[in-house]
Amino acid sequence: MAEYKYTPADFKSDQQVKWCPGCGDHFFLASLHKAMAEIGVAPHNIAVISGIGCSSRLPHYMNTYGMN
């Protein structure tokens, strides 16, 4: 059975990102999408947990399980 190769797009949600332009959270989000694709774990087997503040919107921008 062939192993499925994930791409960063597999981990992106359809939510519009609402962070300020130039915010470092955009870079972190793109890096997280890329890293998750590289480890090869299916999105439905991942949970993203966030704290408070602007970065707490992170689970909304992921095609994974998540909570604040």
Side-chain angles (χ1 to χ4, degrees):
M1 184 170 154
E3 183 179 322
Y4 182 78
K5 298 289 184 184
Y6 293 99
T7 67
D10 293 317
F11 296 90
K12 294 179 183 179
S13 77
D14 58 359
Q15 293 265 335
Q16 180 180 356
V17 177
K18 296 181 181 178
W19 289 323
C20 299
C23 173
D25 289 344
H26 292 281
F27 173 78
F28 180 78
L29 178 62
S31 297
L32 187 57
H33 289 150
K34 183 178 176 185
M36 288 186 168
E38 289 177 5
I39 63 171
V41 176
H44 66 270
N45 288 328
I46 297 175
V48 176
I49 313 301
S50 68
I52 60 171
C54 291
S55 62
S56 67
R57 296 202 47 82
L58 182 67
H60 300 279
Y61 306 143
M62 302 295 300
N63 184 30
T64 62
Y65 291 103
M67 65 181 289
N68 303 77

